[in-house]
Amino acid sequence: MTENTDVLQQVDLQCWSNNHSHHTAEVDTERLLLRRGQPFTLSLRVNPPPRLTLVLHLGKDGNTVIKVSDSWGSGSGWWFRSESGQDELLLTVHSPPDAPVGLYHLTAVILDSDDLILQSMPLGQFHLLFNPWCKDDLVYLPEEEQLQEYILNESGLLYQGSWDQISAMPWDFGQFERDVVDICFQILDKSPAAQRNPQTDAFRRSDPVYVSRILTAMVNANDDLGVVSGRWDGDYSDGVAPTRWSGSVPILRQWSRGGAQRVRYGQCWVFSGVACTVLRCLGIPTRCVTNYSSAHDTDGNLTVDLYYSEQLDSLPGGKKDMIWNYHCWVESWMARPDLPPGYDGWQVLDPTPQERSNGVYCCGPCPVRAIKEGDVEVKYDVPFVFSEVNADLVCWVLHADGRRSQVSLQRHTVGRNISTKSVSGEQREDLTQHYKYPEGSAMERLVYKKAGRKLSLPDTSDRKLELGIRHAQAVHGTDFDVLVEVTNPSGQDAHAHLTISALAVTYNGIHLGECHRKSVSLTLPANIAHREVLRLQYEHYGNRLSEHHLIRVTALLEPNDGHDIVLHETNIPLSVPQLTVQLFGEAVVSQKLVAKITFVNPLPITLKGGVFTVEGAGLTQAQEIPALGEIRPGEEVSIKFSFKPFKPGPRKLLVDFDTDRLKDVKGFAKVIVRGTNM
């Protein structure tokens, strides 16, 4: 409350009741946080009851002035009504559902009978957010269960691994941590558009299409004062390895407290997690999505071309096409009045800096419906995302004499098991059917044709020899077998040379070195399958693996007659045992809880420099705890630490553990925290 000795003596912004009705009390109840298109109340102690009007100043500097009308249906769309009683004035203020989001300063202006200003008094300030509960807001989402997940849930799951070995990593979004809303608007204020023309930018923030597109550019730091700098080469010595992060809040706070200095480093899941936090905080329903076997098609021809030598060395082609083991982006829910009817709903937004869009490293919003229908002319960036889920994978062998042979054409490899967390729990929801028609269906072929897919490539499905790769679940630190199966269905014996190579790779396809290889000449009887085993021992791969724990096995089969060369490859993620996280004590706000974290070294080598990183929205801020000494093979190490939860409700404590030779070991514990008055 503020006091004044003039006509206006006291102001009550009624933060507690307003914030609860506007679904923002989880952030704060001591300052005003509102959603547009929904009224709020404030009370004034006055002597005597005056004639007054209200004025809003929008933006950090307050240069944009908006007059609040005293009647509905006129002016800016903002209006208020007043009720007086004795020495109190109750004001109900209505914001339009298309008001710009941002920081507002509210001023009361006291008028005399001739409408001359007697007094001007600041009443306070508030942040205005998008309102998915309001039917007239462009981000309106009618299902309450979805609002609970896509706006109000502060924790979630990010999907990693591979299409046939999907793993879920808990992520702490923390969008209701007290300072996050200020950081979100700081990000918008640091955008090039806001720096060039703050007033125009402030008004354009009424549009979730504009705001979300700005944010996909600002979450990465490639063009501007953005938040996260990406790095994929494995050298993170001047920052934090992307796998160390378990949540968005430490990243956002580091960026803000560092004066908008980029945070080092992130990869796709980090970019998507941070973007999800910012968009949910601003009131735009958002979910994180993972696309498995995701294509990075640099020239837009809907094919990814990979080149190999006869010895299976990867060769640079004329472009930098790649297949990522998985790629993460976000979907946000909004209407698209800027497009023809039919494109409202979920929109892809990809903050990972891959290709420029209109000169800037950003992507989207791109309607999921447009991707499925192959409507590549629709804004924004449909051709790029369409390729990510639909491109052909074509592999070539370049021979010593300069010839090249197409050895593989895979039409159904890209865009598998597109995944997000379910609204009904911690199960995985498959979104693939929203992005593409069933593989091989008539509608799929129709859409490809509409999107301009190149159909001139020769099909390789009728090769005389067939090649496949199988493996059991591989565990990091152990030896395991990869089974390469060669089948000869041709009806006559064949002779061929088989080369098998195992490479350590990053999740986005960067080669880190060969682990092991095998080469053998085969006689293949008709209608018989031959199995060749490649045994991978820890000493083959242990010192080559990236923090993604991924091995790519490629097999090349060359018939002696030189025709119908076949190539097949698969990615093998090595599983890492999880940390054990136990909580002791009664989970009550402001009462001490003790966590015990246990790690068992699964590798046949001694680990050094162990560090546990712990965080949890509503539980504790991020902190690092060193593991003292060396950890021998099979040795167990435990640490204990205490913390006091500061918010009630379902919570997760997230833990990461890194050492010199083993990284990205995760664990978590769930807890329901009771309020102090329960």
Side-chain angles (χ1 to χ4, degrees), residues 261-498:
Q261 290 293 313
R262 63 187 62 189
V263 177
R264 300 181 173 92
Y265 289 100
Q267 292 172 1
C268 70
W269 69 91
V270 178
F271 290 112
S272 71
V274 172
C276 187
T277 295
V278 176
L279 289 158
R280 284 187 184 181
C281 181
L282 294 177
I284 301 176
T286 302
R287 60 191 185 187
C288 290
V289 174
T290 298
N291 176 40
Y292 288 95
S293 299
S294 188
H296 184 180
D297 175 22
T298 57
D299 62 1
N301 71 342
L302 302 183
T303 65
V304 170
D305 296 287
L306 303 180
Y307 295 88
Y308 299 86
S309 72
E310 292 173 312
Q311 290 74 42
L312 274 188
D313 297 319
S314 179
L315 301 174
K319 52 182 184 172
K320 297 181 180 180
D321 287 358
M322 302 178 85
I323 297 291
W324 293 31
N325 211 40
Y326 62 87
H327 180 52
C328 302
W329 57 66
V330 299
E331 289 177 3
S332 290
W333 180 273
M334 66 189 74
R336 292 297 301 269
D338 57 320
L339 298 178
Y343 297 110
D344 297 346
W346 290 113
Q347 315 285 320
V348 170
L349 293 156
D350 190 350
T352 300
Q354 295 184 87
E355 299 293 326
R356 294 183 184 273
S357 173
N358 295 335
V360 178
Y361 279 105
C362 68
C363 180
C366 166
V368 172
R369 170 77 183 278
I371 300 164
K372 183 171 184 176
E373 300 299 333
D375 296 333
V376 294
E377 75 286 351
V378 169
K379 296 186 299 185
Y380 291 90
D381 308 306
V382 176
F384 184 76
V385 184
F386 184 88
S387 275
E388 286 186 297
V389 301
N390 284 305
D392 286 342
L393 173 59
V394 186
C395 297
W396 305 85
V397 167
L398 300 185
H399 301 280
D401 60 5
R403 293 181 300 110
R404 72 174 189 173
S405 301
Q406 180 187 321
V407 294
S408 175
L409 170 60
Q410 301 174 41
R411 295 200 186 278
H412 309 305
T413 293
V414 168
R416 295 183 171 190
N417 291 344
I418 302 173
S419 302
T420 192
K421 177 186 174 296
S422 168
V423 298
S424 57
E426 302 211 336
Q427 303 83 19
R428 183 183 71 90
E429 180 182 349
D430 196 294
L431 302 177
T432 310
Q433 75 276 14
H434 299 299
Y435 280 83
K436 54 203 297 188
Y437 287 98
E439 299 282 7
S441 68
M443 279 304 300
E444 181 204 33
R445 292 191 292 273
L446 222 83
V447 167
Y448 287 169
K449 186 175 181 181
K450 180 164 64 168
R453 183 182 188 183
K454 308 298 184 186
L455 299 174
S456 58
L457 293 166
D459 198 343
T460 58
S461 59
D462 59 348
R463 296 287 168 95
K464 294 177 182 177
L465 301 178
E466 297 172 357
L467 194 57
I469 301 174
R470 293 190 290 118
H471 62 91
Q473 173 68 60
V475 178
H476 192 4
T478 66
D479 303 342
F480 61 94
D481 292 336
V482 179
L483 188 66
V484 178
E485 187 172 86
V486 184
T487 305
N488 178 13
S490 66
Q492 56 185 6
D493 293 355
H495 302 276
H497 189 79
L498 176 66

Side-chain angles (χ1 to χ4, degrees), residues 583 585-587 593 619 643 645 649-653 669-673:
L583 298 179
E586 193 175 1
L593 272 175
L619 295 176
F643 61 95
R651 302 289 167 186
K652 276 185 185 177
L653 185 71
K670 298 179 185 178
V671 62
I672 298 177
V673 180

